Amino acid sequence: MNYFLHIIVLLNIYIILILGANMTVGMAGLLTLCQAAFYGIGAYIGTMLLMQFDLPFIVIALIVSVITGVFSLLISYASLKLKNDYFTLATLGFQMIIFTILYNWVDVTKGPYGISGIPAIKILGLWSLKGVVPYAIFTAVVMCAMVGIFVALKKSPYGRLLRAIRADETAVKALGRNTSAAKTRAFFLSAAFSGIAGLLYASYVRFIDPTSFTLNESLFIICALFIGGVGNAKGSIAGALFVVILPELLRFIGLPDAVAAPLREIIYGLALVVIMFVRPQGMLGEEMSK
Amino acid sequence: MKLELQDIRLTFSNSRKGDFHLLQGVNLAVSEGEITAIVGGNGTGKTTLFNIISGFITDYQGKVLIDGKDIRPLPTYKRAQAGIGRLFQGTQLMGNLTLMENMKMASVDTMGEHPISPFIAWKSIRTHEYQKEQRAIDIINKLFGSDSKYLSMLDQKASALSYGEQRLIGIARLLMGESKILLLDEPTSGVNPVYIKTIADIIRKLVEEQHMTVLLIEHNMNFVKSLATNCAYLDNGKIMQYGQTEQVLNDEGVKNSYLGV
Ligand SMILES: Nc1ncnc2c1ncn2[C@@H]1O[C@H](COP(=O)(O)OP(=O)(O)OP(=O)(O)O)[C@@H](O)[C@H]1O
Ligand SMILES: [Mg+2]
C-alpha cells in the first residue's frame, strides 16, 4: 500500500513538472531544456526555506515560485528577442550552469554530498505532513490546482494570444501585442511550476543532491511531454503516467534491475520515435498546426 | 493622423557584390483622409517600405513621422498601438485560430491577455469577450450581409477558408482595431472581382467615416484608379512620380517602365 502511495506522490510531482514544460513547449511554442534546473532551484530554495524558517506551505510555495520565475527571466531577456533556436540553446546553457553550481558550490549546497534531514511541509503553519499518506493526498491537491491553473490559462484570452503567436508572431506584433512579453510570462509560469514540483520533491524525499536535476532529467521531462502529448493537460498526465508507471511494471514482471534499467531507456526512446511517426501530437496531445 | 516619410534610405551590405541601395531617399506624405497608392515593379522595395513604417526593419536612415513625431524608438507592437494597422502581402489568417478568434485578436481590447487576469478578473473578461464577439458579428454582417456563410463559420478554424476568403476576413479584421493609418499590401491579390469592389467600398467608407489615412500597394491598376486619390511611383529607390492617380498613371515614363504600354 505504501509503495503504491509512493508511486502516486511521484506521479503527482511529475505531472506538475511536465505541465510546467508544457507551458513553454505547448503553449508558447518554445523548446526548453532546463526544466530540471528550475526543478532543482525550487528544491534547493525550498529546502533552505524549510530548514531556516517555520513557514506554512503556501508562503514557501509562493516564494519558491517567484524566485524560480525570476531565474527564468535571465534566459528570457537574453534570448527571447532572438529566434526560437537561440532560446533553446540558452536554456541548455542555463541547465549546465545551474547543475555545475549545485554540484560545486559546496558551502551552500553541500555539493555531491547532498542535503539531508529536510523538514516536512507544514500546512497552515501547524499541521506537519508525516508519512506517505498525507503526502499522497497533499501532492494530489497541489497537482489538481496546477492542472486547474493550466486549463484556465489555456482557455483564457492569454492562451489564445499564445496560440496566435505560434501561428504568426509577425502578424500578432502588427496587431499591437507585445509577443516577447507574452512568451516571457509563459516561461516564468513554466519555471514556477517546476519550482513547486522541486519543493514538493525535496520535502517528501527529505534528501536532495544535484543528480536529480541534470540535463538528462530535463530531456526526460521533455520526452515524457512529447510522448504524452503537447498542448493540453491530458497529454501531460498521460506522459507522467507512462514514465512513472513503466519502470514499476518492468519491476513487477520480475526483470532484474540490470536488465530493467536499460530496457526502460530503450522503451522510452522507442516510444518517442514511434509516437513521432504514428501520432506526432503525442498520445493525447493536440495537433500543433501552424 | 498624418504619415510622413522623410529621406528614407536602406542599404543591404553584401560581401559578394558590394552594397545594394534599395531605398535611396524616399519622401512621401499622406494626410488624414487620403488614400495614396504606391506602385512600382517587383522588388523595388514597396513591402520593405511598409516594414520600415511598421517597425520590422529598424536599421533604416531617415525619419518616419506620425503627426510630426518621429516614431523610430517605437517597437512594432507600440507602433500598432499608436494606430498603424497593417495587411500583409499574401499572408493568411492564423490557421489554428477560429474565425472569431482571429477577429478578436485584432481588437485593441487586450483584457484577459495577461496570465494573471483569469484568476482575478474572470467576470470582466467575460463581458469584454462578449463585446468583442458582438463587434465581430456586426462587422461581418455589415460587410458580407446577414446571410453570409462566415456567420455560420465563426467557430471553424480559419484554415478551413480558401485563400481569397482569408484575405477578405483579413480586411474585415482590420475594422476590429482602432487604427488610424492603414498599410495595405496588395489587398486585392487573390480576391475575385466581385469582392474587389467590396474591398474598395470598405476602404472608401473607412476613410470617409473614420478619417483614416491609407497607404496601399497594388498591382491592380483599375483598383488603384477607382480608389486612390494620390499615387506614388517607386523606382530606383526613389519616388520618381507623385501626384493625382490619373496623372501618374498616364505619365509616359511610368507607362513605359512599369505598365508596359
Ligand atoms: N540582403 C539583401 N541584399 C540585397 N537585396 C536584398 C536583400 N534583402 C532583400 N533584398 C531585395 O530587396 C527587395 C525587397 O523587395 P520588396 O519585398 O520590398 O519588393 P516589393 O516592391 O514589395 O515587390 P513585390 O511587388 O514583388 O511585392 C527585393 O528585390 C530583394 O531582392
Ligand atoms: Mg511586396
Side-chain angles (χ1 to χ4, degrees):
Chain A
M1 188 61 187
N2 272 2
Y3 169 74
F4 176 71
L5 291 174
H6 169 72
I7 301 298
I8 296 288
V9 175
L10 286 187
L11 187 64
N12 291 333
I13 291 175
Y14 267 96
I15 292 175
I16 298 172
L17 270 177
I18 297 169
L19 272 181
N22 207 350
M23 279 299 305
T24 306
V25 178
M27 301 259 269
L30 295 164
L31 182 59
T32 155
L33 296 180
C34 67
Q35 293 309 105
F38 294 138
Y39 184 35
I41 292 171
Y44 276 88
I45 302 275
T47 296
M48 283 160 200
L49 291 170
L50 285 168
M51 292 178 97
Q52 303 285 331
F53 308 100
D54 196 23
L55 290 169
F57 173 76
I58 186 81
V59 177
I60 296 188
L62 273 175
I63 301 175
V64 163
S65 38
V66 169
I67 294 180
T68 336
V70 168
F71 272 97
S72 81
L73 296 179
L74 297 176
I75 303 174
S76 295
Y77 287 127
S79 69
L80 272 182
K81 287 221 167 110
L82 298 167
K83 279 194 302 199
N84 294 351
D85 307 356
Y86 291 95
F87 172 82
T88 304
L89 284 180
T91 61
L92 178 60
F94 181 76
Q95 169 67 52
M96 291 155 74
I97 292 170
I98 292 298
F99 177 77
T100 310
I101 291 176
L102 293 181
Y103 201 86
N104 291 297
W105 196 10
V106 180
D107 291 346
V108 175
T109 66
K110 300 228 180 88
Y113 311 109
I115 304 177
S116 53
I118 302 170
I121 285 172
K122 281 189 183 166
I123 301 173
L124 302 171
L126 330 152
W127 186 45
S128 186
L129 293 186
K130 279 207 188 77
V132 69
V133 179
Y135 262 99
I137 298 171
F138 185 68
T139 52
V141 170
V142 178
M143 181 273 284
C144 288
M146 297 308 213
V147 170
I149 292 175
F150 186 91
V151 172
L153 285 174
K154 185 177 148 59
K155 282 205 255 171
S156 75
Y158 177 62
R160 176 175 70 216
L161 172 64
L162 290 177
R163 252 185 306 136
I165 293 174
R166 277 188 343 241
D168 190 346
E169 182 165 0
T170 308
V172 178
K173 278 185 192 163
L175 292 170
R177 264 61 168 187
N178 185 348
T179 56
S180 311
K183 290 196 274 185
T184 301
R185 286 168 194 152
F187 192 47
F188 187 102
L189 289 169
S190 174
F193 272 48
S194 313
I196 288 181
L199 166 64
L200 290 175
Y201 174 79
S203 73
Y204 170 63
V205 179
R206 317 194 68 174
F207 169 79
I208 50 169
D209 73 353
T211 57
S212 306
F213 313 112
T214 56
L215 173 60
N216 247 333
E217 181 69 13
S218 280
L219 295 174
F220 182 71
I221 294 166
I222 294 297
C223 283
L225 171 63
F226 276 105
I227 290 172
V230 166
N232 59 20
K234 275 188 304 203
S236 298
I237 296 171
L241 275 169
F242 185 80
V243 296
V244 173
I245 303 293
L246 180 75
E248 307 309 325
L249 277 183
L250 293 181
R251 202 170 303 163
F252 185 73
I253 59 174
L255 288 178
D257 260 8
V259 181
L263 186 63
R264 193 177 62 205
E265 298 291 313
I266 290 174
I267 293 179
Y268 290 152
L270 269 180
L272 202 55
V273 175
V274 170
I275 287 264
M276 288 306 118
F277 266 107
V278 210
R279 239 186 111 72
Q281 69 270 40
M283 292 181 339
L284 297 178
E286 298 181 350
E287 273 184 75
M288 297 281 289
S289 60
K290 274 288 244 179
Chain B
M1 293 201 295
K2 184 175 185 181
L3 170 69
E4 282 170 277
L5 305 178
Q6 287 183 356
D7 199 34
I8 299 288
R9 292 165 188 273
L10 185 73
T11 300
F12 296 111
S13 311
N14 293 333
S15 51
R16 199 188 266 257
K17 279 189 76 185
D19 289 353
F20 175 65
H21 305 280
L22 180 64
L23 300 173
Q24 308 175 23
V26 171
N27 290 290
L28 188 65
V30 193
S31 300
E32 193 168 300
E34 265 181 15
I35 304 176
T36 300
I38 302 181
V39 300
N42 293 124
T44 45
K46 305 182 295 299
T47 299
T48 305
L49 210 48
F50 274 14
N51 284 338
I52 288 172
I53 300 172
S54 42
F56 288 111
I57 296 176
T58 50
D59 56 350
Y60 60 90
Q61 290 169 286
K63 282 180 182 165
V64 180
L65 307 173
I66 288 186
D67 282 342
K69 245 181 69 187
D70 191 350
I71 59 169
R72 181 179 285 278
L74 302 186
T76 299
Y77 76 96
K78 285 202 175 144
R79 294 184 188 204
Q81 288 169 357
I84 301 181
R86 169 126 186 221
L87 180 76
F88 289 91
Q89 175 172 15
T91 56
Q92 294 161 285
L93 298 176
M94 297 174 266
N96 58 349
L97 270 62
T98 65
L99 273 196
M100 179 54 94
E101 288 176 324
N102 266 280
M103 295 294 281
K104 284 179 178 172
M105 278 309 303
S107 166
V108 285
D109 177 5
T110 58
M111 177 70 206
E113 292 182 7
H114 191 289
I116 204 76
S117 43
F119 307 103
I120 58 172
W122 63 272
K123 254 193 167 153
S124 75
I125 291 181
R126 260 209 338 224
T127 20
H128 283 244
E129 287 288 296
Y130 178 76
Q131 286 162 354
K132 285 184 234 180
E133 271 159 38
Q134 290 309 310
R135 179 153 185 188
I137 291 171
D138 281 352
I139 289 171
I140 291 181
N141 262 326
K142 227 167 82 189
L143 297 186
F144 308 108
S146 55
D147 54 351
S148 93
K149 70 170 183 185
Y150 303 122
L151 283 175
S152 58
M153 290 183 74
L154 287 173
D155 293 324
Q156 306 261 338
K157 292 263 192 277
S159 53
L161 295 181
S162 78
Y163 173 78
E165 289 173 326
Q166 294 194 35
R167 294 293 286 169
L168 281 176
I169 300 291
I171 290 170
R173 189 167 69 170
L174 291 171
L175 310 191
M176 285 294 288
E178 279 163 18
S179 303
K180 296 283 172 235
I181 296 174
L182 286 184
L183 307 175
L184 307 175
D185 201 341
E186 303 193 15
T188 70
S189 79
V191 174
N192 71 40
V194 182
Y195 281 121
I196 292 184
K197 198 180 155 296
T198 312
I199 292 175
D201 292 341
I202 297 172
I203 299 172
R204 211 174 285 119
K205 233 195 236 160
L206 281 174
V207 172
E208 280 162 14
E209 290 173 6
Q210 301 180 33
H211 308 287
M212 288 211 184
T213 308
V214 176
L215 192 55
L216 63 90
I217 297 173
E218 258 303 334
H219 291 296
N220 176 341
M221 288 310 126
N222 288 328
F223 183 77
V224 171
K225 276 182 205 157
S226 75
L227 189 63
T229 35
N230 295 311
C231 186
Y233 175 57
L234 182 66
D235 196 19
N236 290 321
K238 282 190 172 151
I239 304 290
M240 304 301 277
Q241 288 289 330
Y242 175 79
Q244 289 184 346
T245 306
E246 279 297 319
Q247 213 180 325
V248 172
L249 295 184
N250 283 320
D251 177 89
E252 286 304 318
V254 176
K255 273 184 174 173
N256 285 332
S257 57
Y258 172 59
L259 298 173
V261 289

